[in-house]
Amino acid sequence: MKTRLWLADPPWLYNDRKLERKDNPGKKAKFGIGVERRYSAGTMKTADLTALGPQIQYLSSPDAYMLMWAVMPLLDVAMTVMDAWGYDYITTPFTWVKTTKNGKLFKGPGAYTLSNTEVILLGRRKGAKRLWHSNAKGCYKPCSVVMEPHPRGDDGKIIHSRKPEIFHQEIEKWLFPYLGEDMRAVELFATQRREGWTCLGHALTSTMIQDDLQKLISR
């Protein structure tokens, strides 16, 4: 079965010069001081992400769609990766405005601004025709701007890379009806399993994403 919908949250590689700071001699993982050690398999270079292109293209249906989480400093990298995976960027359907658990705007790390937003980019398989129009009768209008805090564990600490539940809910209400009940939706770099999705990622499988994709090809 070919995949008609992808959701990816790549472990983007930032300029982690902060790991070398004199006030962090042990290179300990701290929030806002590099993200390399906050991923179970580390971050991935752009070349390693684009190298997944042949596998993703092989697994994609001709009319597939791609949803990709992106961060503002690396929007150009996200576009490059999406193109290498065989998808044309269309629009940005979702923006996550991060808040604190008390509802105030979250002040994140950043060299120029205290970044507090992430976006989801929408791409369509190269050469595919549009499946629907937002003005179509009965078309679900997703909530494009979501103000939610970081998901937290039972210990109250932020779970790195975990996104608010509402995004999966909105994607399912919005896209699943158009893609069909027999379609396959795959989440890459997932941190938890979800019914209706094939979830791949080191945090779940303890194997690298390349190996996860190859197993999917071999099924």
Side-chain angles (χ1 to χ4, degrees):
M1 181 187 298
K2 295 292 186 179
T3 300
R4 294 197 73 190
L5 178 64
W6 298 89
L7 173 60
D9 188 11
W12 303 114
L13 176 63
Y14 287 81
N15 177 6
D16 278 344
R17 58 186 174 78
K18 290 185 178 180
L19 285 174
E20 307 294 336
R21 290 188 345 184
K22 293 181 179 179
D23 60 348
N24 190 31
K27 297 184 180 180
K28 295 180 180 180
K30 299 179 181 178
F31 193 77
I33 310 239
V35 296
E36 174 67 25
R37 297 186 183 182
R38 301 191 69 85
Y39 292 100
S40 61
T43 54
M44 291 181 68
K45 296 179 180 179
T46 303
D48 294 328
L49 286 169
T50 57
L52 301 176
Q55 291 175 301
I56 291 175
Q57 292 178 42
Y58 179 86
L59 289 164
S60 297
S61 67
D63 56 357
Y65 283 81
M66 172 72 65
L67 290 165
M68 179 181 290
W69 279 99
V71 291
M72 298 306 184
L74 299 175
L75 282 178
D76 57 336
V77 177
M79 297 290 186
T80 297
V81 172
M82 181 176 283
D83 181 73
W85 287 1
Y87 289 78
D88 290 322
Y89 168 73
I90 301 173
T91 188
T92 302
F94 297 104
T95 299
W96 176 23
V97 180
K98 302 175 185 179
T99 66
T100 67
K101 58 184 179 181
N102 297 320
K104 297 181 180 180
L105 288 179
F106 174 79
K107 295 181 180 180
Y112 293 91
T113 64
L114 299 178
S115 304
N116 71 342
T117 60
E118 290 186 36
V119 294
I120 294 182
L121 310 180
L122 175 65
R124 184 171 59 226
R125 187 78 191 273
K126 292 181 181 296
K129 295 182 179 180
R130 184 173 60 197
L131 291 182
W132 75 93
H133 194 285
S134 61
N135 289 329
K137 185 177 180 180
C139 177
Y140 180 77
K141 306 299 190 294
C143 183
S144 58
V145 177
V146 175
M147 298 184 69
E148 288 281 337
H150 289 89
R152 295 175 182 267
D154 294 336
D155 58 2
K157 294 182 179 180
I158 291 174
I159 303 174
H160 190 263
S161 293
R162 185 71 56 83
K163 301 302 191 289
E165 175 72 9
I166 188 174
F167 287 105
H168 279 92
Q169 296 172 349
E170 288 294 289
I171 290 168
E172 291 169 7
K173 292 176 183 177
W174 175 42
L175 293 181
F176 276 28
Y178 294 96
L179 300 178
E181 295 181 357
D182 60 345
M183 66 93 182
R184 179 166 64 188
V186 176
E187 182 172 359
L188 300 176
F189 308 104
T191 59
Q192 60 183 344
R193 302 191 185 281
R194 184 175 179 85
E195 184 177 356
W197 294 78
T198 298
C199 297
L200 307 178
H202 189 272
L204 299 176
T205 64
S206 297
T207 54
M208 303 305 289
I209 198 69
Q210 301 92 324
D211 298 326
D212 289 335
L213 288 169
Q214 194 56 46
K215 290 178 182 178
L216 204 56
I217 291 173
S218 301
R219 288 181 185 176

